[in-house]
Amino acid sequence: MKFQSILLALTLAAGPAHAQGVEFHPFDEAKAEIGRLLFYDAILSGNQNISCGTCHHHKTFTGDGLSLGIGEGGQGLGPERTAGAGADAIRKRVPRNAPALWNLGAVEFERLFHDGRVGFSDAYGNGYDSPAEEWLPEGLPNLLSVQALFPMTAQFEMAGNVGENEVTGAVGDRIDLAWPIIAKRVRTIPEYGDAFVAAFDDVEAPEDVDITHIAIALADFIGSEWRSLDAPYDAWLAGTSDLTAAQHRGRDLFFGRANCASCHSGALFTDHEFHALALPPFGPGRTRRFDPVPRDVGRMAETDDLEDAYRFRTPSLRNVTLTAPYGHNGAYPTLEGIIRHHADPLAALAAWQPEMAELPEAPWLEPIDFVIQSDSREMARVAARLDIAPVMLSDADIADLVAFLGALEGGVSKHGRLGRPDAVPSGLPVD
């Protein structure tokens, strides 16, 4: 596997920015190597106990295997991650499923996060729409570099709880006040400082490193590490291999009667739009300050447009076989389950059971994990907002669709390009 990873790295470094009709942002190898170290370095978190890689690990194929993430304060990796204990125990589950990172360096992505809260806009005079609004740092070259900033400032993801560290304290005053603290932590580590000087033309000394350089390095790593367009489906398109009989039947269904391609279109199998699917709600919700109900209204929370209620961004289906559970909140543990939901959303919503959620034990949170299910008005609102129509699918049809989705699983690419580092410059443990 090591040889395959090296071969893939050389191919991507030397190859064109276009592959299978997908255009990718360019990346710099030296910056991507810095980003690789930072991605797995807990120095970016408030309490220095969690990294980006904790929830988007190579071992778990850029996800974490959980319905709702266990962020700052948790222990372990992937489905075995626990909610912590004592004073370090988590105070809240991460409200949404950790999204996969496949092909996020593609130019066609114009909105990121499940609700699209990072995107392009002229509203704030900096070219981007983001939670930082007009306080976004200058010099960010692409959407992925903007996105990379926000997990660091999220309380339950990486920043930590109020009163625990200076990063989360600064976020409480204003979001952009935290980033200089993180940047100083990084640049004062000699190995990082020297690497930034070598990789960035505008960094003459370590003290010149700011959060923009860190974001660019992370984006160059993420955007180049998980490019995956070497699936059996790609080989079939190129005429170098064939699909199985079941995969052919599933393909016919996907692009035909099952109507999957109406949303999961293009080379990356996403229309990049937002759709309401009536997925069963649970967890703490992504609540707004004026809305204490543990609900998640999706895109509406960003646009304040009632038409966007309960709509979430269409995920790419590349490597979908590797990134269970499924849905913006990980409601379904299997591809069969999420396909059945798409086929008959209201029946699936009514039949869904809490034990289908992959939630590590946290007895102090269990009273609210499924409380929203007892809110009949909220459940009615979820059911009433539906953008997809039912379609009749037999068990055999569903099995064939699952087989076709298997044809979208990458080959060598699914292991990443550079891989996880064994150690990071901070000296902190690497998950």
Side-chain angles (χ1 to χ4, degrees), residues 276-282 296 310 312 328-329 331-332 336-357 370 372-388 390:
L277 307 182
L279 285 172
F282 61 93
D296 191 340
Y310 308 106
F312 295 87
H328 69 269
N329 57 2
Y332 288 96
E336 178 184 343
I338 192 70
I339 291 171
R340 288 188 184 280
H341 182 96
H342 280 70
D344 195 345
L346 298 185
L349 174 63
W352 188 84
Q353 297 296 316
E355 54 266 26
M356 297 171 72
F370 302 102
I372 198 67
Q373 295 268 322
S374 62
D375 186 334
S376 58
R377 292 184 178 181
E378 180 64 9
M379 295 300 288
R381 284 188 285 264
V382 170
R385 195 74 178 93
L386 190 59
D387 292 331
I388 56 175

Side-chain angles (χ1 to χ4, degrees), residues 35 61 75 85 95 125 154 180 234 261 265 269 285 289-290 320 383 387 396 418:
F61 300 102
Q75 297 288 327
D234 301 303
S265 56
F269 292 85
R289 289 177 181 170
F290 57 85
V320 69
D387 292 331
L418 301 177

Side-chain angles (χ1 to χ4, degrees), residues 45-89:
S45 65
N47 290 322
Q48 302 183 48
N49 61 358
I50 187 171
S51 72
C52 307
T54 305
C55 296
H56 301 281
H57 205 278
H58 280 82
K59 181 179 178 181
T60 44
F61 300 102
T62 80
D64 64 1
L66 302 175
S67 294
L68 304 178
I70 296 292
E72 202 283 333
Q75 297 288 327
L77 187 66
E80 288 75 44
R81 188 165 174 79
T82 68
D88 293 330

